[in-house]
Amino acid sequence: MTTDTSSLPTRADGGGAGGADDDRIRGRALGLLVVLCGAAFLEGVDVAMFGIALPAIRADLGLATGELQWVVSAYILGYGGFMLLGGRAADLLGRRRVFLVSLGVFVVFSGLGGLASESWMLLVARAATGVAAAFMMPAGLSIITTGFREGPLRTRALLIYAGIGAAGFSVGLVVGGLLTMFGWRWVFFAPVIVSVVLLALAIPLVPRPEAASRGGRRVRGRADVAGAVVVTSAFLALITAIEQSSHAEPVVTWSLAAASALLLAAFVAIERRAAEPLVRLAFLRRMPQLRAYLGAASLAAGFMGFQFLVVLHLQEERGWNSLATSLALLVLGIDAVLAPLLTPRLVARFGLWPVTLVGLAASGASFLLFLPVAADWTYAAMSPSFLALGLAFTFAYGPLTVAATDGVPDEDQGLSGGLLYTAFQIGAATGLAATSALITAAEGSGVEPVEVTRLALVVPLVAAAFGVVTAVSGVVASRRRR
């Protein structure tokens, strides 16, 4: 594996990333990690805040349930669809350049979203912000994986990074409720303020431009834009097919599904012939990474579907305001405390996949605990479900991030990070669309509102079951390698 010695000038003994026998993170390396964790935290907060603000946005702009989920899905599709291009761009164009430019674009379009007066303006702003995040996140992740030497030091940095990023989802639920009390537009404007601060800190701290290398040579190539457009179109057709399945004519749904399959086939053909493919197909045969991607998709699908239906249940069926909803979900923030402190120790003691299995099993337990939901449920009855979901992120999110990058050459770290985040976002979009489709179908059949919530829980439960099976296979494979 090649080592990018320019990525952290202080990586040598006694420097910022720790000496040869020291896994502490200090000095400039600590400052860099703070900035990158801040960006991951911001992205998590940004996504979660909109889950709480959805009813307020619906009321102001008059959106139906199917339209409402696109406020989140527009971001997710921009994010997930261009993540592979973003990861490859970081490898080819330089991680610092891609990170700083994309963070700046994130600032601009988040601000424009807060000024939107029509639903289409809101969706365009969210999609553009998602594309910016698609370049920012894999660049940030690859800065860590190339800047900290492989082993306990890198694992510790990655678990802290992933844990704080996951905490952003939880904290965003609370912050979203508070901001929505002042108006839903503040969920756009607040990230602008944080992003500007991060950008000011990132300019001096993020390492100077470096290029990924193969065999000591500078990597040159052209970004596979055609592949990015085709794969994004494929995912868009798939998500639309799922969302439309509850109320559109069957021919429309099946046509969209067929279009998605054809576009994916076209993507494979493009990648086989491209001089610098977006994804080298051989890379997808790396089973440890493939398991991590599948586990990430299942975790995100269950979480986004569950969050969507719980927020609608609490605010529209039970009449809670956004602040009460966010406070009810505050227990999810337990991962903000436990993930950076407890998860690294558990991984060191038991290994990546056993800890991941516990996390994904906890997500399934969360959805099962909410299954008996009733209109007169007290918060005490709901809280075990929310606690279990917080533990799921505590134990699964960080280890999945490490598993996706462990053993990957430096020149492919951006690609692997892009695939990981693509899996998260496409899983989230699929879970959200499927949950929305079930809700729409159940509402149209005259089912009682609380029964609608129970029926829609099938999506998170299926996602959790798939994740558990994936994690079990990871545990078995890791024991065979011993």
Side-chain angles (χ1 to χ4, degrees), residues 35-127:
V35 169
L36 298 175
C37 286
F41 184 83
L42 172 67
E43 192 278 327
V45 167
D46 187 77
V47 172
M49 286 194 302
F50 281 88
I52 296 295
L54 287 178
I57 295 173
R58 185 215 289 265
D60 191 21
L61 300 181
L63 303 178
T65 299
E67 296 174 306
L68 189 64
Q69 65 97 12
W70 280 107
V71 175
V72 178
S73 291
Y75 176 91
I76 291 174
L77 285 169
Y79 192 169
F82 284 90
M83 185 70 69
L84 296 177
L85 182 61
R88 192 64 183 136
D91 290 335
L92 293 173
L93 303 178
R95 299 172 181 105
R96 173 189 166 88
R97 178 186 303 167
V98 171
F99 182 81
L100 294 180
V101 171
S102 57
L103 182 56
V105 174
F106 191 95
V107 171
V108 171
F109 279 95
S110 188
L112 290 175
L115 301 174
S117 58
E118 300 289 340
S119 59
W120 69 266
M121 297 170 64
L122 184 69
L123 296 180
V124 169
R126 288 303 288 160

Side-chain angles (χ1 to χ4, degrees), residues 49 54 168 179 212 228 246 263 282 324 329 331 335 374 420 424:
M49 286 194 302
L54 287 178
L179 292 176
S246 62
L263 286 166
L329 297 174
V331 69
D335 65 331
L420 174 68
F424 272 121

Side-chain angles (χ1 to χ4, degrees), residues 398-458:
L400 285 169
T401 302
V402 176
T405 58
D406 192 34
V408 176
D410 282 0
E411 63 267 21
D412 288 327
Q413 286 291 340
L415 170 61
S416 190
L419 285 167
L420 174 68
Y421 287 121
T422 296
F424 272 121
Q425 298 307 315
I426 297 305
T430 303
L432 182 60
T435 303
S436 174
L438 274 181
I439 291 174
T440 300
E443 288 175 341
S445 62
V447 177
E448 288 295 320
V450 71
E451 187 62 27
V452 170
T453 301
R454 295 194 195 103
L455 289 172
L457 279 168
V458 69

Side-chain angles (χ1 to χ4, degrees), residues 270-469:
I270 290 172
E271 298 312 284
R272 284 177 174 171
R273 297 177 183 177
E276 287 289 343
L278 199 62
V279 180
R280 296 193 312 281
L281 299 180
F283 190 87
L284 296 179
R285 292 197 288 269
R286 299 174 65 104
M287 284 307 299
Q289 277 66 48
L290 187 58
R291 279 192 203 93
Y293 306 148
L294 294 175
S298 66
L299 179 65
F303 173 79
M304 289 303 294
F306 184 71
Q307 180 197 22
F308 185 70
L309 67 91
V310 166
V311 168
L312 292 183
H313 170 72
L314 294 180
Q315 294 193 33
E316 297 191 347
E317 296 175 22
R318 306 190 63 163
W320 292 23
N321 62 28
S322 60
L323 179 59
T325 302
S326 64
L327 292 175
L329 297 174
L330 181 61
V331 69
L332 287 173
I334 191 172
D335 65 331
V337 177
L338 294 182
L341 300 175
L342 179 60
T343 306
R345 297 180 181 180
L346 292 177
V347 168
R349 173 67 177 84
F350 299 104
L352 287 173
W353 282 108
V355 177
T356 302
L357 175 58
V358 172
L360 292 173
S363 70
S366 169
F367 311 143
L368 284 172
L369 288 169
F370 205 79
L371 198 56
V373 62
D376 59 349
W377 256 26
T378 63
Y379 177 69
M382 302 178 201
S383 58
S385 175
F386 303 151
L387 175 62
L389 191 55
L391 292 175
F393 268 88
T394 297
F395 299 131
Y397 190 89
L400 285 169
T401 302
V402 176
T405 58
D406 192 34
V408 176
D410 282 0
E411 63 267 21
D412 288 327
Q413 286 291 340
L415 170 61
S416 190
L419 285 167
L420 174 68
Y421 287 121
T422 296
F424 272 121
Q425 298 307 315
I426 297 305
T430 303
L432 182 60
T435 303
S436 174
L438 274 181
I439 291 174
T440 300
E443 288 175 341
S445 62
V447 177
E448 288 295 320
V450 71
E451 187 62 27
V452 170
T453 301
R454 295 194 195 103
L455 289 172
L457 279 168
V458 69
V459 174
L461 284 168
V462 169
F466 183 80
V468 168
V469 171

